[in-house]
Amino acid sequence: MTNRKQMGGAKTRVVGLDLMRIALAFLIYLFHSNLHFKCDYFIFNRFVEVGAIAMTGFFLLSGYALHLTYSHKDMNLIGEIKEFYLKRLITILPLYYFIAIAFSIYGTVDGFITWKENVILFPIELLCLQSTFSSLFAYTHNGGTWFISCIAICYALYPFLQSVLLRLSNKTKA
């Protein structure tokens, strides 16, 4: 079996890359559970404690996977851009909004944040921009969903950046 699997049309998938991303996501989970909930992983604690590095790897591999999937598509076409955004929105926003609402309710009941602060922060949460305001980490999900916010911003920029990069000549790229 090869490392690439054909998935209808010209879309390709690199199985090894997906497995690495799953492993990194699991390490990120272990890191956060150790950090926030003090989960003990015994002899693996030292490994889990440096799990923040896995976030960088996950970002890089996810960007590369996007490139592999969409580099052959013309992201200047409205249909291609709509399909790209629809797939991303369906996978990211429901969970992000659920967590935002749950944390807002929990924070208000617990007295951590007021309803007025929730209303003020609502536009930032709605637009997934919390990662652009590091001073809000204490208010917005304890910083726990900044990662989703980063991904949403990168997804929003991807079609534009791909279009710009494809227009550059090979001489300019080097």
Side-chain angles (χ1 to χ4, degrees), residues 11-118:
K11 188 175 181 180
T12 60
R13 185 160 204 110
V14 180
V15 176
L17 181 68
D18 290 341
L19 292 174
M20 180 62 100
R21 288 172 46 209
I22 290 168
L24 290 171
F26 183 66
L27 183 56
I28 293 166
Y29 165 77
L30 294 176
F31 169 73
H32 281 94
S33 66
N34 176 267
L35 179 69
H36 296 293
F37 303 116
K38 306 299 181 221
C39 292
D40 189 6
Y41 297 106
F42 309 105
I43 61 171
F44 299 106
N45 277 341
R46 300 296 260 162
F47 178 69
V48 169
E49 288 170 356
V50 295
I53 296 168
M55 288 183 268
T56 302
F58 185 86
F59 269 125
L60 291 170
L61 291 179
S62 294
Y64 184 62
L66 270 179
H67 168 73
L68 289 176
T69 303
Y70 288 96
S71 63
H72 67 280
K73 294 190 178 193
D74 185 0
M75 295 304 273
N76 289 320
L77 299 173
I78 299 297
E80 295 287 341
I81 293 174
K82 282 171 65 173
E83 177 189 336
F84 174 83
Y85 283 137
L86 185 62
K87 284 181 180 179
R88 279 15 240 176
L89 293 176
I90 289 171
T91 58
I92 291 178
L93 291 183
L95 180 61
Y96 181 84
Y97 289 148
F98 172 78
I99 293 170
I101 291 167
F103 186 81
S104 294
I105 292 169
Y106 169 76
T108 304
V109 170
D110 196 40
F112 180 75
I113 189 170
T114 67
W115 282 109
K116 182 180 178 183
E117 290 169 323
N118 274 322

